[in-house]
Amino acid sequence: MTDVAETVPLEEIDLSDPGAFAERVPHEWFRTLRREDPVHFNPEPEGPGFWAVTRYWDIREVHRRWDIYSSEIGGTSLEDLEPDQIEARKSMIDLDPPRHDEIRGLIKSRFAPRAVREWEEQVRAIARKVIDLALPKGEFDFVLEVSSEIPMQVFAEILGIPQEERRYIIELGDHLLGNQDPEFARPPEKPEHRLLPFSSPVALEMFEFGRRLAEERRRNPRNDIITQLAFGGLTQREYDVNFVLLAAAGNETTRHTITHGLLALIENPDQLERLRRDPSLYPAAAEEMLRWATPVHHFRRTTTRETELAGTRIPAGAKVTTWFTSGNRDETVFENPDTFDVGRDPNRHMTFGPGGKHFCLGAHLARLEVRVVFEELLPRLRSVELAGPVKRLRSNFFNGIKQMPVRVEAA
Ligand code: HEM
């Protein structure tokens, strides 16, 4: 199935407007940009404007050249922050080498393929439990009952967060990141919250939570991520912001992938059937769901000097955004990019970033979760269909689904 119209006039495109992503992803915009203006200057109503990079290989170039395209100078989100705000919020994602590599180095082995494989049975047990609770309801919100539950339960398991506190941390995650969407936003920013991640008072609650875990590990060290961070020689602020990063990074991203994954199967019944008939396709199907969902539309860099990309000059100090949503449908890289194909091979999507220093630390874990959820879900289903409208998050950062009512018949 395809979901893309042709192209549109360039003047109609405004990637700064979250409203443009409210009903659907404007894929025709990206198709137009890739063809006509692959390094496009997008003015902003209240800001300096940004460059939008939309072709696969150009996006890779930006992420590879961290010396020209810095994560540290202006952070990685589109929002313009004051220097003191940037300084206070710097987790590894908002740092350049060498400090980036030092902090990532503390915990990276915990997320390597071999380490992640050891979590498979725990992830499977969580998926089973969550699915077994949801399916007997017959009709339910898939986001609430399944896709939001699994990533945070897995994360909580890996961090050793007690069961009874898990719902609390999921809610914190929602309030922390859904801040472009009126439904999730908390009261307006106060001056004293300027220095917090996402300018959000919720970050303080997250800090508190993380500190309690660290204290506990200092008393009783374990062989785990928190212990490594707690003994890693980080400042209190570095610990805090990296804890928030870990809590936030895998939450909504994995949730939205799982939700979009099921939606794609519902909308493409031939692919659902194909996957049921051939379970060896689950790993490829998980990759295709990741490509199809692209839960993070873009990240941002800031140029350290004047440079040229694909023939376009970009001044020093400019905001440059890389649109994975577009790279993942680049027709020079993917055959029939607008088709959802559970057997797609090769599938070198850039959902976790295109490689380079900041390639998603949790990529192997997220892959595992998506695959295992569908391996557990599909054999338990005789049928599945939408039972109401799919409610999307209003955001040009997350490709998010807030609510997806489904009706199921258990097998
Ligand atoms: C489908 C799920 C996920 C998606 C789509 C995703 C996407 C991304 C992307 C695109 C980046 C690159 C940011 C940049 O270049 O500036 C990134 C970085 C990161 N992700 Fe993920 N992520 C996912 C799941 C996870 C999980 C499960 C975790 C772990 C708990 C995680 C932890 C991180 C961290 C720590 C970074 C920063 C790495 C660095 O700066 O070196 N992510 N992620």
Side-chain angles (χ1 to χ4, degrees), residues 63 93 100 104 249-250 253 257 295 299 301 324 351-353 358 360 362:
H63 282 250
I93 206 169
H100 165 270
R104 184 170 168 127
T253 47
T257 307
F299 267 110
R301 300 291 189 259
F324 311 135
T351 295
F352 297 117
H358 294 278
C360 175

Side-chain angles (χ1 to χ4, degrees), residues 256-332:
H256 298 323
T257 307
I258 295 168
T259 316
H260 277 294
L262 182 62
L263 181 59
L265 291 175
I266 292 173
E267 289 179 340
N268 297 273
D270 59 323
Q271 297 301 304
L272 174 59
E273 264 325 294
R274 192 176 161 206
L275 189 52
R276 280 187 195 282
R277 276 200 313 272
D278 182 359
S280 74
L281 287 178
Y282 277 108
E287 292 305 313
E288 182 66 342
M289 288 172 186
L290 283 157
R291 184 187 76 92
W292 195 249
T294 318
V296 175
H297 288 307
H298 71 269
F299 267 110
R300 172 246 174 116
R301 300 291 189 259
T302 307
T303 46
T304 56
R305 55 176 167 85
E306 190 187 81
T307 189
E308 197 181 303
L309 183 64
T312 302
R313 292 205 78 70
I314 305 178
K319 293 205 273 187
V320 177
T321 51
T322 46
W323 293 81
F324 311 135
T325 300
S326 177
N328 274 344
R329 298 218 182 181
D330 188 325
E331 37 293 279
T332 67

Side-chain angles (χ1 to χ4, degrees), residues 354-389:
K357 289 277 177 197
H358 294 278
F359 181 76
C360 175
L361 186 65
H364 301 295
L365 176 59
R367 290 194 155 108
L368 171 75
E369 287 182 52
V370 176
R371 172 174 59 79
V372 164
V373 166
F374 286 93
E375 281 173 355
E376 292 301 320
L377 180 64
L378 297 191
R380 286 174 170 72
L381 287 182
R382 189 192 307 276
S383 71
V384 53
E385 59 186 9
L386 290 180

